[in-house]
């Protein structure tokens, strides 16, 4: 191989590593979409949800302890209900950017679909501060060691979304959602349609 070809391959490898690193790392300057809803607005729109979903809405934007056991117990309680699990961290730029999408879609579909978060590798103070800026209509379990994420085969990538259909079949999506339409399409395909 010529030196020139080796140099070109080396440059391409460095560029690939940089692109992957920047995609996963994000920065603290990443700001969520400014079209977020207050928790009061979300609760108003979700009034009248079925009891198992209303129980999630009652814990809106809370960080819950006890993962993986409490998380797995929650999933057992939701058996037969379509579930969307979003693995996120406030340190993750792509997670921060997709949060408003999850906020809006969870409100739009929150009377038919259960949403649950997994907050991984995150200082509690940072996660709470972020949830104050972009509140969610559902709780997140603290999953610092990613044991809950492993229990549903969520992988190591951030963000990751796991769709669980009423029969318990799981589909894993790695990477961020950049639009409400894309997330709704996957919910329809993987959480609502499978097993229907």
């Amino acid at each position: 191989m010529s030196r020139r070809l080796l140099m070109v391959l080396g440059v391409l490898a460095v560029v690939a590593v940089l692109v992957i690193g920047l995609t996963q790392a994000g920065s603290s300057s990443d700001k969520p979409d400014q079209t977020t809803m207050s928790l009061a607005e979300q609760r108003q729109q979700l009034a009248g949800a079925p009891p198992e979903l209303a129980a999630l809405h009652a814990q809106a934007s809370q960080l819950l302890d006890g993962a993986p056991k409490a998380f797995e117990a929650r999933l057992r309680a939701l058996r037969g209900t379509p579930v969307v699990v979003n693995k996120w961290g406030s340190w993750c730029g792509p997670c921060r950017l997709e949060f408003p999408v999850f906020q809006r879609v969870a409100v739009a579909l929150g009377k038919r679909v259960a949403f649950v978060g997994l907050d991984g590798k995150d200082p509690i103070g940072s996660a709470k501060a972020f949830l104050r800026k972009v509140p969610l209509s559902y709780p997140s379990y603290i999953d610092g060691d990613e044991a809950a994420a492993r229990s549903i085969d969520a992988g190591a990538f951030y963000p990751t979304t796991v769709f669980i259909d009423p029969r318990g079949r799981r589909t894993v999506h790695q990477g961020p959602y950049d639009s409400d339409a894309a997330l709704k399409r996957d919910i329809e395909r993987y959480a609502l349609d499978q097993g229907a």
Side-chain angles (χ1 to χ4, degrees), residues 22-26 30 92-99 158-159 175-177:
L22 290 173
T23 299
Q24 288 189 10
D30 290 334
C92 162
C95 301
R96 294 171 70 89
L97 293 173
E98 80 171 358
F99 239 60
Y158 282 81
Y177 281 96

Side-chain angles (χ1 to χ4, degrees), residues 55-137:
L56 287 169
H57 306 152
Q59 295 176 316
S61 244
Q62 292 182 26
L63 289 171
L64 305 177
D65 285 323
K69 288 183 180 180
F71 171 72
E72 291 167 358
R74 174 57 64 80
L75 290 183
R76 282 191 301 277
L78 291 168
R79 197 169 284 147
T81 302
V83 179
V84 176
V85 179
N86 181 244
K87 184 175 90 163
W88 64 278
S90 67
W91 52 268
C92 162
C95 301
R96 294 171 70 89
L97 293 173
E98 80 171 358
F99 239 60
V101 170
F102 272 86
Q103 183 193 66
R104 292 186 299 267
V105 173
V107 170
L109 299 178
K111 292 184 181 181
R112 296 189 308 154
V113 177
F115 287 79
V116 181
L118 287 177
D119 177 36
K121 298 182 179 180
D122 214 358
I124 300 299
S126 298
K128 286 183 177 181
F130 185 63
L131 286 168
R132 280 191 296 274
K133 289 179 187 171
V134 188
L136 297 173
S137 61

